[in-house]
Amino acid sequence: MSDVRVLFEGAGLLAVDKPAGMLVIPGRGEGSGPSLREVLEEKLGRKVYVVHRLDRDTSGVMVFALEPEKHRTLSMAFESGKVHKRYLALVEGRVEAPRVVDAALVPARKGRMRVARPGEEGKPSRTRVRPVELFAAASLVEAEPLTGRTHQIRVHLLSQGHPLLVDHQYGRDEPLRAKELGGEGEEEVLARTPLHAARLELPALPGVEARALESPLPADMARAVELLRTAR
């Protein structure tokens, strides 16, 4: 629990800053380590209800329920799109202007997703993308999913020619080292998908006050940004 920062606890809710590399719920196979839910339940000594998910390599704001009634309320809010989420991502290329990516998604091989081809019936998917900071050959962008599809942000950015700098499913599989980001040496800077849930906005719900929760850019992504700035 020492590396899981609590952002808010009260009124039957728990919000934490999820570390990258941790599963939200127990996974199959060996070597996955304890899940975030297991860590929280051990720390709190009580049941924790999962309301939404983040991919293993994604960091940032996550909300859990501590009571069955709050679990139902929050789950319905997420499913109906009433909860607004904003992510920060480091991508290849320069994203010069804001855009809304409107591209239906369909399942692909090995658990991946892809953009539906003409004539295919996929799940409608929309993501608002805004440039935050531009570098020589990369960008820090804000991505706001307007729908909630699996891998939506990653696939939509890829479809625009801006895959994440590291992504073992949709792009580069090898870690990025300092010299590749504009610095010097073999320091391993980014070894995971640089996608961070930076802000989550809860609306006013029965028994739940409206609340905005934020998480600062984690150390690995902040270090990558620092090096990218030197390569402008």
Side-chain angles (χ1 to χ4, degrees):
M1 185 68 177
S2 60
D3 60 347
V4 180
R5 186 165 66 99
V6 174
L7 302 174
F8 172 78
E9 182 178 358
L13 307 181
L14 176 68
V16 302
D17 195 352
K18 175 190 173 296
M22 181 177 279
L23 293 168
V24 174
I25 61 174
R28 298 176 181 175
E30 299 179 359
S32 59
S35 69
L36 180 55
R37 189 189 71 192
E38 290 172 315
V39 169
L40 294 174
E41 287 182 338
E42 182 178 357
K43 173 66 176 179
L44 297 174
R46 62 185 297 185
K47 184 173 177 61
V48 171
Y49 298 87
V50 176
V51 176
H52 65 119
R53 308 279 183 91
L54 290 178
D55 291 337
R56 179 175 185 161
D57 276 353
T58 302
S59 55
V61 182
M62 277 207 71
V63 173
F64 294 85
L66 299 177
E67 303 167 357
E69 184 179 344
K70 292 295 192 302
H71 179 232
R72 287 190 293 271
T73 299
L74 288 171
S75 295
M76 291 175 61
F78 273 91
E79 290 171 8
S80 62
K82 294 179 180 178
V83 179
H84 299 293
K85 295 171 282 185
R86 297 188 182 186
Y87 294 75
L88 291 173
L90 282 167
V91 302
E92 295 181 15
R94 292 171 60 88
V95 180
E96 301 280 357
R99 67 192 71 179
V100 173
V101 185
D102 190 345
L105 299 181
V106 297
R109 297 175 58 190
K110 298 182 179 180
R112 293 191 290 261
M113 302 293 289
R114 62 172 174 81
V115 171
R117 301 186 181 103
E120 280 188 313
E121 185 177 349
K123 290 186 176 182
S125 308
R126 300 175 72 237
T127 305
R128 181 177 290 117
V129 178
R130 180 180 69 84
V132 175
E133 188 169 355
L134 302 183
F135 312 107
S139 303
L140 176 66
V141 301
E142 179 187 85
E144 180 183 355
L146 304 178
T147 52
R149 311 302 181 199
T150 301
H151 298 175
Q152 175 178 315
I153 293 172
R154 294 156 68 187
V155 176
H156 275 174
L157 288 169
L158 174 64
S159 75
Q160 297 291 296
H162 299 290
L164 272 67
L165 293 183
V166 177
D167 193 327
H168 69 279
Q169 286 182 293
Y170 298 102
R172 179 190 172 112
D173 196 24
E174 297 296 318
L176 272 169
R177 302 186 181 278
K179 66 180 182 181
E180 299 173 277
L181 292 166
E184 297 180 357
E186 296 295 328
E187 170 199 356
E188 192 175 281
V189 179
L190 271 181
R192 55 100 175 190
T193 304
L195 184 62
H196 179 67
R199 183 178 174 89
L200 187 149
E201 298 175 11
L202 290 173
L205 300 166
V208 178
E209 292 184 4
R211 186 178 303 276
L213 300 157
E214 295 187 339
S215 166
L217 205 62
D220 58 349
M221 290 180 65
R223 175 63 174 152
V225 168
E226 178 186 357
L227 291 170
L228 286 166
R229 285 173 178 155
T230 69
R232 281 196 174 114

